[in-house]
Amino acid sequence: MKIVAQSLSDQVYALVKSEILKGNLKMGDRISEDNLAAEFGVSRTPIREALRRLSEYGLVNLSPRSHASITFISKEAADDIAELRVDLESFAIDHIKADLFDAGLDTICKHAANCLYSLSIGERDKAFELDSLFHIAIVGTTGNEALIDTYNRLDAKIQLLRIEQDLPAKTLTTYLGQHNQLIQLLKDGDKAAAKALIRDHIKHESLEV
């Protein structure tokens, strides 16, 4: 596939990121600059820039004078990330600011709806991105810049783990449907139930996979 000369690194970045989020590139897979350059019809310069940006985002590991590879997350690290997510999002629920929540509610609801729609038409990669945007938007209603920055830095690994879990469509639909339950609990101000749901949502403790 050829891509146009304008913003080459941006386009390569988006295309490679999409391939990762679709699961076409797996955790630990090596990435060949030469192969990408040939596939996209560009020089290695925009490929290197795109891989550098993907490394900063957390989807790619760069080895000096060696190769790039998709970030690998061990089972132990995955468990640690899940626990940290629960803690961060529970903290967010406890510190939501009413005015920010009200202002962001339409966006949060749209992400929830579009997430399920994308999954229903087979666009799993888009559904995962919208899933991330949903949670990021909720964390954003705290107005806590340190929390928002920490969560954003964790997001790439969260997306990789979503892909690696490879949940069946039916289970994933149930999982993503919990977004609407969470919205209602937050609207009702039931923080205890919202935090319990977040733990189940992240850890999948009650879902049959």
Side-chain angles (χ1 to χ4, degrees), residues 186-197:
L186 294 177
K187 288 168 68 176
D188 293 343
D190 193 342
K191 293 184 177 182
K195 288 190 289 185
L197 180 59

Side-chain angles (χ1 to χ4, degrees), residues 146-160:
L147 174 63
I148 293 167
D149 180 65
T150 299
Y151 195 89
N152 276 318
R153 289 175 181 274
L154 193 64
D155 181 59
K157 291 183 173 62
I158 293 171
Q159 293 199 52
L160 283 173

Side-chain angles (χ1 to χ4, degrees), residues 40-59:
F40 297 137
V42 300
S43 71
R44 292 177 64 176
T45 299
I47 299 295
R48 288 172 177 167
E49 173 61 18
L51 292 178
R52 181 190 64 77
R53 290 175 58 196
L54 287 164
S55 175
E56 291 176 353
Y57 184 59
L59 290 176

Side-chain angles (χ1 to χ4, degrees), residues 87-125:
D87 289 344
L88 292 174
E89 296 199 40
S90 295
F91 180 89
I93 289 169
D94 278 333
H95 293 83
I96 286 175
K97 294 181 178 178
D99 58 333
L100 294 180
F101 181 76
D102 290 342
L105 185 56
D106 282 348
T107 296
I108 292 169
C109 290
K110 286 177 182 177
H111 288 330
N114 291 335
C115 189
L116 279 172
Y117 174 72
S118 294
L119 180 64
S120 73
I121 62 174
E123 295 183 352
R124 184 175 281 227
D125 58 322

